[in-house]
């Protein structure tokens, strides 16, 4: 598969750069760069020309796994009205949103299935 461009962009401010990296395109580029660094066992030179020392690929893989745990992705999922109402009741008792309750239930169910 041909490599996607990983050109270094010039931003007017750090805020503008942060906003770009928060976009889907920026996140995909960052993910490609990390995956390439893990595969190669190296890191790319940063824009200021400072060499970044090699990092153990296992450490990079762990960092990527942690980042994926925190990252979210919007999905569309049909859930029964009864399940949503039950989640809303639980959420009201806990003082959190019902979507939080649903995410926690999914996470716990996946952990049980993978064990």
């Amino acid at each position: 598969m041909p490599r996607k461009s990983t050109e270094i962009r010039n931003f007017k401010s750090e805020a503008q750069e942060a906003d770009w990296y928060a976009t889907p395109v920026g996140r995909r580029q960052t993910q490609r760069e990390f995956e390439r660094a893990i595969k190669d066992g190296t890191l790319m030179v940063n824009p200021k020309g400072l060499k970044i020392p090699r990092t153990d690929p296992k450490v990079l893989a762990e960092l990527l796994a942690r980042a994926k745990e925190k990252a979210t992705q919007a999905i569309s999922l049909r859930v029964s009205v009864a399940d949503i109402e039950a989640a809303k009741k639980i959420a009201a008792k806990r003082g959190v949103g019902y979507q939080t309750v649903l995410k926690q239930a999914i996470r716990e169910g996946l952990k049980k299935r993978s064990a």
Side-chain angles (χ1 to χ4, degrees):
M1 177 193 285
R3 281 188 166 181
K4 303 249 180 173
S5 172
T6 55
E7 67 185 57
I8 298 174
R9 299 174 184 275
N10 293 321
F11 299 100
K12 294 179 182 175
S13 67
E14 286 186 11
Q16 184 185 31
E17 181 178 4
D19 289 343
W20 184 82
Y21 277 103
T23 66
V25 174
R27 289 192 303 267
R28 281 192 301 270
Q29 178 172 330
T30 302
Q31 183 173 357
R32 282 193 306 269
E33 290 174 3
F34 269 103
E35 287 172 352
R36 193 172 300 133
I38 290 169
K39 182 180 175 186
D40 298 343
T42 61
L43 290 177
M44 298 173 60
V45 175
N46 71 19
K48 295 180 179 156
L50 301 173
K51 294 268 185 190
I52 300 171
R54 283 187 178 220
T55 304
D56 182 358
K58 291 178 184 178
V59 172
L60 292 173
E62 174 64 27
L63 291 172
L64 188 58
R66 285 190 205 169
K68 285 181 180 179
E69 287 177 8
K70 302 283 184 198
T72 62
Q73 179 176 349
I75 63 167
S76 177
L77 181 67
R78 297 186 84 59
V79 179
S80 73
V81 173
D83 289 342
I84 292 173
E85 288 176 356
K88 286 182 178 181
K89 287 179 184 176
I90 294 168
K93 289 178 185 176
R94 292 185 186 171
V96 296
Y98 78 95
Q99 290 181 353
T100 302
V101 171
L102 291 172
K103 286 193 281 186
Q104 289 171 345
I106 290 169
R107 191 175 300 118
E108 290 170 9
L110 291 171
K111 282 182 183 178
K112 286 180 184 177
R113 296 248 179 191
S114 66

